[in-house]
Amino acid sequence: MRNVLRAATLESKFPLLAVEHDCIISKDADVTVPFRVELPELFTVTSSEYEAIHSAWAKAIKVLPNFSIVHKQDWFIKEDYRPDIQKDGLSFLSRSFERHFNERPFLNHACYLFLTKTTKERMRMQSNFNTLCRGFLVPKEIRDREVVAKFLEAVGQFERIVNDSGFVKLTRLTGDEITGTADRPGLVEKYFSLSLEDTTTLRDIRLDPEELHIGDNILCLHTLSDAEDLSPRVATDNRYEKLSTDRSDCRLSFAAPVGVLLGCSHLYNQYLFIDDHAENLKRFEKQARNMHSLSRYSRQNQINREWIEQYLNEAHSLGLTSVRCHCNVMAWSDNREELQRIRNDVGSQIALMECKPRHNTVDAPTLFWAGIPGNAADFPAEESFYTFMEQALCFFTQETNYRSSPSPFGIKMVDRLTGKPLHLDISDLPMKKGIITNRNKFILGPSGSGKSFFTNHMVRQYYEQGAHIVLVDTGNSYQGLCNLINRKTGGEDGVYFTYTEENPIAFNPFYTDDGLFDIEKRESIKTLILTLWKRDNEPPSRAEEVALSNAVSMYIERLKTGIVPSFNTFYDFVRGEYRDVLDTKEVREKDFDVANFLNVLEPYYRGGEYDYLLNSEKQLDLLSKRFIVFEIDAIKDHKILFPVTTIIIMEVFINKMRRLKGIRKLILIEEAWKAIAKEGMAEYIKYLYKTVRKFFGEAIVVTQEVDDIIASAIVKESIINNADCKILLDQRKYMNKFDSIQALLGLTEKEKSQVLSINMANHPNRKYKEVWIGLGGVQSAVYATEVSLEEYYAYTTEETEKLELMRLADKLDGNIELAIKQLAESKRNN
């Protein structure tokens, strides 16, 4: 008969009746409980963990009553990253980072689960009785309310079993999230718009014989609805070759090729139909007998009989549950040429699962209609195939994209797969959750792996969020960033200490902004003077310690009279007034030899060889400076300058640690072995790593070689055992000796696989280096350090690029920010 009804309203065909008590009620009296599903992040799950997830799903589904439907719907929507560039407080580099990723395409993943209770008759309904084919929909009444009550009880047990697994989290959707509100669309409306955005509009639906149109989008549908199209072997997970090596395995779920790895907008629907298991087996027994009686007429009947008997044998011997299953991939585009490419991509991804891709045009409208949240009972039975529940669950996608931390504090990293910026908290939130017990970090990466780039990126963001940063550097890695901060703050911050012949390193440990000298400050001054006065193998006597302590205390009191604080005035005080005091007290020369003291310290006094060292004319109190760099490469082997600098570093950070209450502070020591080879510094780092967490602080050590750390037994124990956050960069140079690194750092096999996958499958059109971040042996993942050109020139350690930037800055009266902008713009244009 000719179709005379060319169009119908959505209202007349709409299969859902109401939402009551957060349950969806269909017009055929089917009850559906909807959930939002949180899956683990991809590349973070091992084979055994995939099996545990699979087992949790299986246990949960077994509690559901007969004639229930499990419908898992994964949304993968292609979106563009939209940064909030106008947000208040964004720095020049933060704004350039956001601009760099503006309109970066990525896949947004959302996962929902619908548990539906229907009837035996509805479960067997075919496509010719779909609600789309009926002229009128008369709502039915739920007659057996006890059945519904038992179903809801089973759903509660289902939710508890899955959530208790610790891998997957189910959250009940509320009525407003299903139906929407006056200003926000609900899930049903989003489905009809094929959009996850909060501002959607309903679109016309056109059901052509060959194509399904939703607004401007044309859909293509691929189905797995026949057992003959399936892979001969299914598993919970497969090896992902791109990120695996001969020493490590990267695993993804069996269905990942049609999930996160399919880079177009699509919906992946997974259905499990729970019939009466015993009745199914009886039907198969009857079919097997019929096939046996007809086997003499056709060899095909004999083969079918053997298959059915094998199915029955496994069901009885292994106790497997017989279910029906169906999966489909619904992809779309508003461009026909792109749709052809998408259709090929979907087919090839299904083929990667060793399944036969079938482009379904016949049942596309009814399958789309059955995918409406809460309408799974409208599914055409002929599109499903019989299998066992354990095998059917292998077609569930079990991972999602990387998620941003909900914490207000953190650093910006990038999703290694899609290139989307992520907000990552590796300090506060893990502490709050109990994943780590301290914020200390240990960073390991060979030369050229991007260590300094990552640390520049991290400390810059810490600084912008109010932290006090003290850096011990060996190679001018932070010079560009420090100069930028110095210029931006008008010289108030961004203090850079380094040694050159023209401008030697200089301090004034006797100066404070507020004139306060607490016990820590006094002790650091005494330690400094003792270091200059006595050799390492020449400990001071008790009388000498007391005399020096008195000298420092009296000098500090004299500072209140207006004396300019410096080593010169301290030396003058000891030579004059304090010597008279000692004479008055009749202190013997053998107890405290003033002449010897003044003679040994004379090189640091006015006119001496090192008179610049402790007499800096810059009256700097480093307590208030939030970004301080000590560049020690030129003095690391100097017998005089290095010990003095070490003591200054210790005093600066301990002073910040104890006096800056409630303010985050961070000390980062680059290439640690050069500093910690000295026993004093090793003891200091040991003290820091054990104590800094109590003062809202973080201690970070960066090194190229693990051997440099284990050379010092003290540091090996204190750093590695007290750094709950471990950060590793590309370790492929150490592939043959990675087992020893793994043992030293206490990495699991899962963490080893992640580390060895770094930079193995980087996107050719993006410039970035990957970094592995592990938190307390509990949480770990590989992220990308991708930055804008402006950030690149602020962080770069390449000598030619630094010189080019400095020359341009000199032409612009030292305006390094403007120089970075111009250089980045010229590179972009070229």
Side-chain angles (χ1 to χ4, degrees):
M1 186 179 75
R2 186 169 63 89
N3 183 7
V4 293
L5 185 63
R6 302 298 299 171
T9 63
L10 181 60
E11 184 182 5
S12 66
K13 298 292 182 182
F14 196 60
L16 307 181
L17 178 66
V19 172
E20 295 181 6
H21 306 292
D22 299 334
C23 296
I24 303 172
I25 314 297
S26 78
K27 290 179 180 175
D28 281 289
D30 307 312
V31 179
T32 300
V33 181
F35 293 92
R36 180 183 294 104
V37 185
E38 289 182 30
L39 298 170
E41 296 175 343
L42 79 166
F43 308 133
T44 65
V45 187
T46 63
S47 186
S48 59
E49 289 171 339
Y50 275 120
E51 288 177 10
I53 296 170
H54 179 274
S55 176
W57 283 119
K59 289 174 186 174
I61 289 172
K62 283 178 181 176
V63 306
L64 296 177
N66 290 342
F67 311 116
S68 297
I69 303 172
V70 179
H71 175 204
K72 182 167 170 285
Q73 189 173 74
D74 287 88
W75 294 60
F76 299 91
I77 308 296
K78 201 167 185 179
E79 296 181 6
D80 293 335
Y81 180 70
R82 296 187 182 93
D84 186 6
I85 297 175
Q86 304 305 320
K87 188 168 66 173
D88 292 339
L90 274 187
S91 70
F92 157 60
L93 291 180
S94 292
R95 188 168 279 107
S96 67
F97 176 89
E98 296 293 346
R99 281 204 188 99
H100 174 73
F101 290 96
N102 187 33
E103 297 187 354
R104 169 74 61 88
F106 68 95
L107 273 188
N108 188 11
H109 179 207
C111 182
Y112 299 97
L113 183 74
F114 308 104
L115 303 179
T116 301
K117 180 70 179 79
T118 185
T119 60
K120 180 178 179 179
E121 294 74 23
R122 289 274 287 159
M123 289 280 274
R124 293 179 178 177
M125 188 191 70
Q126 299 202 352
S127 57
N128 57 2
F129 201 66
N130 186 278
T131 51
L132 281 173
C133 304
R134 284 185 266 165
F136 300 97
L137 295 180
V138 181
K140 296 180 181 177
E141 185 180 347
I142 298 176
R143 294 178 181 176
D144 196 340
R145 298 187 181 276
E146 186 179 343
V147 171
V148 175
K150 287 183 178 178
F151 170 69
L152 293 178
E153 184 181 337
V155 168
Q157 295 173 13
F158 182 102
E159 181 181 2
R160 208 158 38 245
I161 292 169
V162 173
N163 285 338
D164 286 348
S165 72
F167 296 104
V168 180
K169 182 181 177 184
L170 301 183
T171 307
R172 281 281 292 268
L173 293 179
T174 64
D176 285 347
E177 289 175 313
I178 301 164
T179 60
T181 59
D183 54 348
R184 294 188 69 179
L187 183 59
V188 175
E189 185 178 339
K190 290 178 179 181
Y191 181 81
F192 282 110
S193 306
L194 296 179
S195 171
L196 286 174
E197 293 184 359
D198 286 336
T199 54
T200 62
T201 54
L202 290 179
R203 304 173 182 180
D204 291 339
I205 301 172
R206 195 165 88 239
L207 309 177
D208 288 344
E210 295 296 324
E211 287 181 341
L212 176 61
H213 292 250
I214 308 294
D216 295 330
N217 290 318
I218 312 168
L219 273 72
C220 66
L221 190 77
H222 288 75
T223 56
L224 293 174
S225 53
D226 193 327
E228 291 183 3
D229 295 339
L230 303 184
S231 166
R233 173 192 162 277
V234 295
T236 57
D237 57 289
N238 278 334
R239 177 180 162 100
Y240 186 58
E241 292 294 343
K242 284 186 178 180
L243 296 178
S244 298
T245 69
D246 57 347
R247 293 171 178 267
S248 62
D249 256 0
C250 178
R251 313 296 293 188
L252 285 177
S253 65
F254 180 78
V258 292
V260 289
L261 299 184
L262 179 56
C264 61
S265 292
H266 66 285
L267 260 67
Y268 180 47
N269 290 295
Q270 306 119 78
Y271 296 89
L272 258 70
F273 302 92
I274 304 169
D275 296 306
D276 187 327
H277 171 68
E279 188 179 316
N280 280 350
L281 296 188
K282 282 182 185 177
R283 188 184 309 114
F284 283 126
E285 294 279 7
K286 184 177 179 181
Q287 283 183 5
R289 288 194 296 271
N290 290 341
M291 292 295 176
H292 178 69
S293 62
L294 296 172
S295 60
R296 66 193 309 187
Y297 300 109
S298 168
R299 184 172 295 276
Q300 188 66 43
N301 289 331
Q302 186 176 349
I303 293 170
N304 286 342
R305 178 184 67 86
E306 290 174 1
W307 279 114
I308 293 171
E309 285 185 346
Q310 188 176 345
Y311 182 89
L312 290 168
N313 289 341
E314 288 204 18
H316 288 295
S317 61
L318 300 178
L320 301 178
T321 305
S322 173
V323 297
R324 284 184 295 122
C325 178
H326 169 89
C327 299
N328 66 62
V329 180
M330 201 182 298
W332 61 86
S333 174
D334 57 0
N335 182 288
R336 287 189 181 278
E337 291 182 7
E338 186 185 20
L339 184 69
Q340 183 60 46
R341 179 186 60 77
I342 288 173
R343 187 179 298 159
N344 295 337
D345 286 348
V346 175
S348 63
Q349 292 298 102
I350 292 175
L352 282 178
M353 299 164 62
E354 297 184 28
C355 298
K356 187 184 294 183
R358 240 177 236 287
H359 182 221
N360 193 323
T361 57
V362 176
D363 280 329
T366 52
L367 291 175
F368 172 80
W369 212 246
I372 298 170
N375 197 39
D378 229 6
F379 186 88
E382 73 270 21
E383 283 288 345
S384 60
F385 60 90
Y386 282 97
T387 183
F388 296 121
M389 182 176 64
E390 286 75 6
Q391 281 78 358
L393 283 171
C394 292
F395 290 94
F396 275 25
T397 53
Q398 307 287 18
E399 62 274 297
T400 185
N401 291 325
Y402 287 175
R403 287 186 288 265
S404 289
S405 300
S407 169
F409 177 82
I411 60 174
K412 286 282 189 180
M413 297 299 289
V414 175
D415 186 321
R416 69 190 303 201
L417 186 68
T418 66
K420 177 194 174 186
L422 300 166
H423 176 77
L424 188 65
D425 184 354
I426 54 177
S427 293
D428 292 358
L429 191 62
M431 278 278 283
K432 188 176 180 181
K433 288 183 174 181
I435 294 171
I436 58 177
T437 57
N438 60 67
R439 297 179 175 85
N440 302 333
K441 297 171 179 58
F442 171 71
I443 302 176
L444 173 69
S447 178
S449 61
K451 256 192 336 297
S452 296
F453 230 81
F454 170 76
T455 50
N456 264 283
H457 190 56
M458 180 177 69
V459 299
R460 188 266 294 177
Q461 294 179 82
Y462 269 58
Y463 172 80
E464 289 175 359
Q465 294 172 86
H468 279 242
I469 316 286
V470 176
L471 299 166
V472 185
D473 187 21
T474 55
N476 296 308
S477 301
Y478 304 93
Q479 189 176 22
L481 182 58
C482 190
N483 289 345
L484 184 63
I485 291 171
N486 185 270
R487 174 78 184 193
K488 192 71 177 175
T489 59
E492 289 297 314
D493 212 340
V495 184
Y496 198 83
F497 292 104
T498 188
Y499 181 90
T500 62
E501 291 293 336
E502 301 79 22
N503 188 18
I505 195 165
F507 309 102
N508 187 350
F510 300 89
Y511 176 79
T512 62
D513 278 344
D514 52 12
L516 293 177
F517 290 83
D518 58 13
I519 190 168
E520 298 286 349
K521 183 71 173 176
R522 291 167 185 258
E523 286 299 318
S524 71
I525 292 174
K526 286 190 285 185
T527 304
L528 174 64
I529 296 170
L530 277 173
T531 303
L532 300 177
W533 179 25
K534 297 288 186 177
R535 295 181 184 274
D536 291 341
N537 58 356
E538 185 186 356
S541 67
R542 179 61 183 153
E544 288 172 330
E545 287 183 353
V546 171
L548 179 58
S549 181
N550 289 336
V552 170
S553 297
M554 290 180 67
Y555 172 73
I556 289 171
E557 286 299 316
R558 296 296 179 273
L559 289 178
K560 296 177 181 177
T561 64
I563 297 174
V564 176
S566 70
F567 182 78
N568 285 339
T569 55
F570 174 75
Y571 189 88
D572 288 335
F573 168 75
V574 174
R575 184 172 58 183
E577 186 177 343
Y578 190 60
R579 177 177 266 177
D580 295 339
V581 171
L582 293 175
D583 290 341
T584 305
K585 289 183 177 181
E586 297 182 354
V587 176
R588 295 176 299 179
E589 186 176 310
K590 69 175 185 178
D591 292 330
F592 183 66
D593 189 345
V594 180
N596 170 266
F597 179 79
L598 293 171
N599 182 57
V600 172
L601 297 183
E602 191 175 11
Y604 310 100
Y605 180 61
R606 190 182 297 111
E609 184 181 358
Y610 301 110
D611 64 349
Y612 56 84
L613 185 58
L614 303 174
N615 293 291
S616 174
E617 294 179 359
K618 296 177 181 177
Q619 301 288 30
L620 282 178
D621 182 3
L622 298 179
L623 177 68
S624 61
K625 307 304 178 187
R626 290 205 301 113
F627 198 91
I628 307 164
V629 181
F630 294 92
E631 205 289 312
I632 62 171
D633 194 37
I635 61 167
K636 64 183 182 295
D637 298 318
H638 199 288
K639 292 181 180 179
I640 303 295
L641 298 179
F642 182 77
V644 172
T645 305
T646 300
I647 292 168
I648 296 291
I649 293 168
M650 292 180 188
E651 188 270 330
V652 165
F653 192 72
I654 289 179
N655 199 28
K656 286 179 179 291
M657 199 167 74
R658 295 191 179 278
R659 291 185 61 185
L660 298 176
K661 306 294 185 184
I663 297 174
R664 189 187 309 273
K665 64 281 294 185
L666 177 152
I667 183 167
L668 185 144
I669 304 171
E670 277 263 6
E671 310 305 347
W673 74 96
K674 295 178 183 176
I676 63 182
K678 313 295 188 292
E679 191 67 22
M681 193 65 168
E683 289 289 347
Y684 171 64
I685 292 176
K686 179 182 178 182
Y687 165 77
L688 264 187
Y689 263 80
K690 290 186 175 181
T691 310
V692 72
R693 68 176 182 84
K694 300 174 185 175
F695 298 93
F696 196 24
E698 302 182 19
I700 304 173
V701 161
V702 184
T703 187
Q704 290 189 18
E705 294 271 2
V706 174
D707 295 341
D708 299 319
I709 293 296
I710 62 178
S712 168
I714 295 174
V715 175
K716 172 187 172 184
E717 294 301 319
S718 60
I719 288 180
I720 293 175
N721 293 344
N722 292 291
D724 281 0
C725 176
K726 295 178 177 66
I727 299 172
L728 275 67
L729 292 100
D730 199 333
Q731 300 292 311
R732 281 179 291 179
K733 288 182 181 178
Y734 305 141
M735 184 78 78
N736 294 329
K737 62 175 182 178
F738 192 76
D739 289 345
S740 62
I741 296 175
Q742 180 185 2
L744 178 67
L745 300 181
L747 303 181
T748 63
E749 285 298 314
K750 167 185 172 179
E751 292 170 333
K752 172 186 172 180
S753 298
Q754 290 174 336
V755 172
L756 294 181
S757 74
I758 291 173
N759 293 335
M760 281 195 63
N762 287 9
H763 197 286
N765 297 330
R766 288 163 43 208
K767 187 175 180 179
Y768 62 95
K769 294 278 183 72
E770 292 184 336
V771 55
W772 175 84
I773 300 175
L775 297 168
V778 176
Q779 187 177 311
S780 60
V782 177
Y783 301 92
T785 307
E786 183 179 350
V787 296
S788 63
L789 272 173
E790 287 83 354
E791 290 169 293
Y792 175 83
Y793 283 112
Y795 305 156
T796 183
T797 54
E798 287 290 330
E799 190 67 25
T800 53
E801 293 172 341
K802 286 168 72 173
L803 288 174
E804 184 181 8
L805 179 63
M806 289 300 109
R807 281 195 293 265
L808 183 55
D810 289 340
K811 293 178 184 177
L812 298 168
D813 297 327
N815 191 336
I816 192 167
E817 181 177 318
L818 184 57
I820 288 172
K821 284 180 182 177
Q822 290 188 7
L823 191 57
E825 194 59 40
S826 67
K827 296 296 180 184
R828 263 194 291 268
N829 293 336
N830 290 337

